[in-house]
Amino acid sequence: EAAAKNKDEL
Amino acid sequence: MNFFRLTADLMHLLSIFVLLLKIQKTRSCSGISFKTQLLYAVVFVTRYLDLLKWISLYNTLMKIFFIASSIYILYLMKIKFRATYDPSQDTFRIEFLLGACLLLALVFNYTFTFIEVLWTFSIYLEAVAILPQLFMLSRTGEAETITTHYLFALGAYRGLYLLNWIWRFYTEHHIDWIVWVAGAIQTALYSDFFYIYYKKVLHGQKFELP
């Protein structure tokens, strides 16, 4: 999952 | 970064400042659920284990602020203004929330690693962390106006994140199911509150449950 690697939200 | 997300983060900051203002001005934490504040501190500490991972100055400063302010609020409630906190009003059983969120995080996550499971746990826990506060509100049936402003800012922050996700889905195909489902539930929990806030507080009346 791309979403799991890109945690730019707070 | 987009307009919705920036506004959401600023509303989140504002909510914390309003809460601090309420406690300092009235020199009292009455009407505030310590359990909810404790859960928020747990949320921030477990989510920001990646504090040292560089994303941006904005990201790092906000993380530090959220961790520090949540712990400071616990200090205000438990030590400085301890006498004004009434535990008999704050009776929601958070053990169940913590247990259920941990279980869900162990089962539904993106990757089964320590950091990732704790991050997922923090997402689920944030969704329900407001429940002790809303429960307390429904028990007492009324709230100081400034406390309702705090809750409104906190709810608005969540609502704006929903708009941010819709925006990000269309502009950058950003997909994050865990955060979306938890965020939708979290926002839904505020719907009753929003309704009464709109009907009463915005029309200059005291917040009272019908």
Side-chain angles (χ1 to χ4, degrees):
Chain A
E1 270 304 323
K5 288 169 196 126
N6 184 23
K7 291 200 184 65
D8 57 342
E9 288 183 356
L10 294 158
Chain B
M1 184 56 74
N2 59 62
F3 170 79
F4 301 114
R5 193 167 139 206
L6 181 63
T7 315
D9 287 344
L10 293 179
M11 286 301 268
H12 196 182
L13 280 186
L14 180 70
S15 75
I16 293 171
F17 284 122
V18 170
L19 178 59
L20 287 171
L21 188 73
K22 178 256 172 316
I23 296 174
Q24 301 283 13
K25 278 271 178 188
T26 62
R27 301 193 61 77
S28 161
C29 50
S30 71
I32 304 297
S33 166
F34 177 78
K35 289 180 175 176
T36 281
Q37 298 306 320
L38 178 65
L39 292 181
Y40 280 135
V42 173
V43 163
F44 293 134
V45 169
T46 51
R47 185 173 307 168
Y48 299 151
L49 291 174
D50 66 346
L51 185 64
L52 296 178
K53 187 182 152 205
W54 186 261
I55 292 168
S56 65
L57 182 64
Y58 173 83
N59 188 277
T60 304
L61 289 179
M62 292 290 259
K63 283 175 175 172
I64 292 171
F65 176 81
F66 288 133
I67 293 173
S69 62
S70 66
I71 292 170
Y72 179 59
I73 288 164
L74 295 185
Y75 155 77
L76 289 180
M77 295 190 76
K78 209 63 186 178
I79 296 166
K80 195 164 180 201
F81 298 114
R82 190 190 180 99
T84 62
Y85 170 67
D86 182 4
S88 70
Q89 296 288 342
D90 195 11
T91 52
F92 197 93
R93 297 291 298 269
I94 58 171
E95 299 86 339
F96 296 118
L97 295 182
L98 288 161
C101 290
L102 186 61
L103 200 67
L104 279 173
L106 287 166
V107 178
F108 301 105
N109 54 61
Y110 290 128
T111 322
F112 195 73
T113 61
F114 182 72
I115 298 262
E116 191 66 23
V117 168
L118 279 185
W119 175 82
T120 313
F121 167 74
S122 84
I123 297 291
Y124 296 152
L125 190 62
E126 189 188 352
V128 292
I130 199 64
L131 284 177
Q133 179 65 61
L134 293 177
F135 183 69
M136 193 171 176
L137 205 66
S138 68
R139 267 185 65 122
T140 50
E142 55 173 43
E144 286 172 276
T145 300
I146 192 162
T147 303
T148 66
H149 292 330
Y150 161 67
L151 284 167
F152 174 77
L154 207 53
Y157 140 66
R158 292 317 306 182
L160 286 162
Y161 254 93
L162 294 183
L163 300 178
N164 156 60
W165 295 324
I166 295 169
W167 178 265
R168 292 191 76 178
F169 177 74
Y170 285 111
T171 57
E172 47 186 291
H173 302 288
H174 174 85
I175 296 174
D176 195 336
W177 282 108
I178 287 177
V179 167
W180 287 357
V181 172
I185 292 171
Q186 187 173 358
T187 310
L189 293 180
Y190 285 91
S191 49
D192 274 4
F193 168 81
F194 280 146
Y195 179 73
I196 300 168
Y197 183 82
Y198 172 76
K199 292 282 271 187
K200 297 254 180 171
V201 182
L202 290 186
H203 292 86
Q205 292 172 296
K206 187 176 164 56
F207 184 95
E208 274 175 323
L209 294 183

